[in-house]
Amino acid sequence: MSRFYDDRETAPAELREARLLAALPGQIAHAQRAAPALAEALAGVDAAAVTTRAALARLPVTRKGELAERQRARPPFGGYAAAGWGALGKVFQSPGPLYEPEGRRTDYWRFARALHAAGFRAGQLVHNAFSYHFTPAGSMFESGLLALGCTVFPAGTGQTELQLAAIADLRPDGYVGTPSFLRILLERAAETGTPVECLRRALVTGEALPPALRAAIEAHGVTVLQCYGTADLGLIAYETPAREGLVVDEELIVEIVTPGTGDPLPAGEVGEVVVTTLNPDYPLIRFGTGDLSAELPGTSPCGRTNRRLRGWLGRADQTTKVRGMFVHPGQVAAVLKRHPEAGRGRLVVDRDGLDDVMMLRVEAAGAPAGLAEALAASLRELTKLRGEVRLVAPDSLPRDGKVIDDRRQHG
């Protein structure tokens, strides 16, 4: 049984680069022709001349905030989609809100490659604990698993006891979902004596996988690897058994740029991940993910020859991910706006052991009784996450423009 999904994973790096750059002019021309927003953004660009990374780097970067604004002005996809309803199979909504199309091709989001690297094979049953509601994560992994020949149990999120009962009854070979929920399932199974030893492998994403969390999962006999993707692009990079960075997917051109600009950085420097996809339905050109990473030098010891990323290292903007959910500075501002007695605020994100925790620090003078509790309720309503609130003296928060202070260690 091959260790590799296909021959492209071990192809010489120069051949891969030549293939991607040869496809680039056609993708840009297609975007100019079929996606009105990209036709506007790339007006005057000679697609045939964009045959190098240097030429690509001269094109503008589209970021999530701009995409959301354009979608609001021109629903549903802001003029970035090149396919209509008849060519699409599904449409999803992620927080923002942002709408993402899913085409009808097999393994549309390209997750089969990451799943194969994590040990998933035809004939296995897989417990899929990603959401099937609104957001595309459940569908992303299901389509990749089906392409591999796996059978999928669509568990979705929450309902820990029911999920454990299903695992005990069906005895799946593996798990896909967030790492924190996998830890919850395994620890609850140990507490209740529920047999879950059938789970031997897992592919996780949606939040960071620090060493302590990986160790806590693997103490239960589950080998866990991680991958990195977005709802706009699908798979971007994936971990292999070598566990030395994340190997970039074969269908993408990935750049690391100085945050807030489109200027590529040298290998090894931390910057924003910018991706150009060859997807004909949603031909995003130089899409700024808002995520921070860095390119690792050399190639993976596993034999795959594509470029590698260090992994998710935080956000280029102040948007961050807490327990698998994005939290935006605008949400913090909306919480404060609901309560006129509240002054400036800062959301501090940290870890308590293996768990993500949030604390909203709010300046308030002569605050009425119950203000902290009201702020906490608003925080939960607007972010869908629980967090503590601490009232502090006026002018005590740093004036550095930071609304979200993420103090977790990523890597």
Side-chain angles (χ1 to χ4, degrees), residues 2 36 99 160 251 320 333 365 370 400:
S2 175
Y99 294 98
T160 303
E251 296 299 316
T320 193
D400 54 7

Side-chain angles (χ1 to χ4, degrees), residues 137-223:
S139 185
M140 285 177 164
F141 279 80
E142 179 174 293
S143 61
L145 288 163
L146 294 177
L148 287 179
C150 297
T151 300
V152 179
F153 178 72
T157 58
Q159 298 180 301
T160 303
E161 302 303 328
L162 288 176
Q163 298 222 21
L164 286 175
I167 292 171
D169 290 341
L170 297 174
R171 298 188 60 78
D173 301 273
Y175 164 98
V176 295
T178 63
S180 61
F181 189 59
L182 176 57
R183 177 179 65 86
I184 289 169
L185 288 173
L186 293 171
E187 291 181 351
R188 183 60 179 157
E191 292 170 0
T192 59
T194 305
V196 295
E197 68 280 355
C198 54
L199 293 177
R200 308 308 301 168
R201 61 190 54 83
L203 181 63
V204 301
T205 192
E207 56 195 26
L209 180 64
L213 181 53
R214 191 198 295 266
I217 291 169
E218 296 198 332
H220 293 273
V222 181
T223 299

Side-chain angles (χ1 to χ4, degrees), residues 325-366:
M325 297 286 289
F326 280 116
V327 180
H328 304 272
Q331 292 172 308
V332 178
V335 170
L336 299 173
K337 189 175 181 180
R338 284 190 174 189
H339 305 275
E341 308 91 341
R344 297 170 57 247
R346 170 183 292 224
L347 185 68
V348 178
V349 182
D350 210 333
R351 278 203 173 89
D352 180 5
L354 298 176
D355 297 318
D356 292 338
V357 293
M358 300 193 310
M359 175 177 288
L360 180 61
R361 301 171 64 87
V362 179
E363 295 180 354

Side-chain angles (χ1 to χ4, degrees), residues 29-42 74 78-83 280-284:
H30 170 63
Q32 291 173 316
R33 182 174 58 252
L38 288 164
E40 179 182 334
L42 302 174
R74 186 175 182 172
Y80 287 92
D281 299 326
Y282 205 39
L284 297 174

